């Protein structure tokens, strides 16, 4: 495991809780490409684009977590071994109820679901609670969207996923900011 100490949630002694989730995050290049996919559409139809640096796929949302428990969470996560996998992202979809546009992979391979199950088991065994709703992989590109024209990428994006992260979400003056508290390689 590598710990991103720069962004350690314990740095700020005034914070007792952190809003956490596990995720995979593509390279800056892929984030930029995905960020541009619905840019024009949002300018035309309305909605709020996700900043490219915030583009990710959530594996497990934990929500409000006591910061004193983060090291136990990282220890549990560090015991997981899982395999690398590839995602080919070739289209967008509209999730009407959530009012989001998200990028969608043609196939979500079994390794992704195995990783999510391993994270769920590990954090549950370590005494953490989380929403038990079924995992529905998606990469949110825009929020507060009320209509959408589906985009088929001319050239699908190839994402080789080789690590996963523990992320903290913070509301800042500049909007939502995600920082990584830990990252673990896939093998
Ligand atoms: P979304 O993109 O579909 O909104 C950080 O907030 C990440 O956690 C986002 O990817 C978000 O998914 C997800 N998230 C936020 N609240 C959640 C919840 N209550 N249950 C599951 N995932 C959530």
């Amino acid at each position: 495991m590598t710990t991103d100490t720069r962004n350690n949630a314990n740095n700020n002694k005034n914070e007792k809780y952190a809003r956490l989730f596990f995720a995979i995050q593509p390279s800056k290049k892929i984030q930029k490409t995905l960020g541009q996919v619905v840019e024009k559409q949002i300018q035309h139809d309305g909605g709020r684009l996700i900043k490219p640096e915030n583009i990710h796929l959530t594996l497990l949302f934990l929500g409000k977590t006591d910061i004193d428990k983060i090291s136990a969470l990282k220890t549990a996560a560090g015991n997981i071994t899982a395999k690398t996998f590839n995602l080919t992202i070739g289209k967008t979809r509209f999730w009407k109820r959530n009012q989001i546009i998200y990028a969608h992979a043609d196939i979500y391979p079994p390794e992704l679901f195995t990783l999510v199950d391993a994270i769920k088991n590990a954090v549950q065994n370590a005494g953490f609670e989380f929403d038990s709703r079924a995992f529905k992989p998606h990469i949110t590109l825009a929020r507060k969207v009320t209509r959408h024209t589906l985009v088929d990428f001319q050239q699908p994006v190839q994402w080789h996923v080789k690590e996963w992260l523990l992320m903290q979400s913070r509301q800042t003056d500049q909007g939502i900011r995600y920082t990584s508290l830990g990252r673990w390689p896939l093998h």
Side-chain angles (χ1 to χ4, degrees), residues 100-146:
I100 63 169
I101 295 175
Y102 61 96
H104 193 60
D106 298 345
I107 294 168
Y108 289 104
E111 288 84 357
L112 169 65
F113 295 92
T114 306
L115 172 61
V116 170
D117 286 343
I119 297 172
K120 281 184 177 173
N121 281 334
V123 303
Q124 197 162 34
N125 291 339
F128 292 87
E129 285 175 6
F130 50 84
D131 192 333
S132 58
R133 264 178 291 183
F135 171 57
K136 184 174 179 202
H138 64 281
I139 304 166
T140 304
L141 300 180
R143 297 189 189 283
K144 297 193 190 308
V145 183
T146 50

Side-chain angles (χ1 to χ4, degrees), residues 54-134:
N54 281 352
I55 291 177
H56 67 277
L57 187 156
T58 297
L59 300 172
L60 182 68
F61 181 75
L62 290 174
K64 190 177 168 184
T65 307
D66 189 331
I67 60 163
D68 291 339
K69 294 187 177 163
I70 291 177
S71 63
L73 186 62
K74 291 209 257 188
T75 303
N79 289 327
I80 294 171
T81 345
K83 291 186 183 152
T84 57
F85 53 92
N86 295 311
L87 295 176
T88 302
I89 303 162
K91 52 175 94 72
T92 61
R93 281 193 178 167
F94 181 38
W95 196 340
K96 197 172 176 188
R97 187 167 52 87
N98 292 359
Q99 293 194 312
I100 63 169
I101 295 175
Y102 61 96
H104 193 60
D106 298 345
I107 294 168
Y108 289 104
E111 288 84 357
L112 169 65
F113 295 92
T114 306
L115 172 61
V116 170
D117 286 343
I119 297 172
K120 281 184 177 173
N121 281 334
V123 303
Q124 197 162 34
N125 291 339
F128 292 87
E129 285 175 6
F130 50 84
D131 192 333
S132 58
R133 264 178 291 183

Side-chain angles (χ1 to χ4, degrees), residues 116-181:
V116 170
D117 286 343
I119 297 172
K120 281 184 177 173
N121 281 334
V123 303
Q124 197 162 34
N125 291 339
F128 292 87
E129 285 175 6
F130 50 84
D131 192 333
S132 58
R133 264 178 291 183
F135 171 57
K136 184 174 179 202
H138 64 281
I139 304 166
T140 304
L141 300 180
R143 297 189 189 283
K144 297 193 190 308
V145 183
T146 50
R147 55 193 174 135
H148 174 47
T149 313
L150 298 178
V151 177
D152 254 318
F153 298 18
Q154 278 174 347
Q155 180 130 30
V157 171
Q158 306 291 345
W159 176 9
H160 178 57
V161 184
K162 48 185 194 298
E163 65 170 13
W164 54 287
L165 303 96
L166 174 63
M167 310 279 280
Q168 178 176 9
S169 166
R170 276 203 179 97
Q171 185 69 55
T172 73
D173 293 344
Q174 288 78 44
I176 297 281
R177 203 177 133 76
Y178 297 144
T179 48
S180 64
L181 303 180

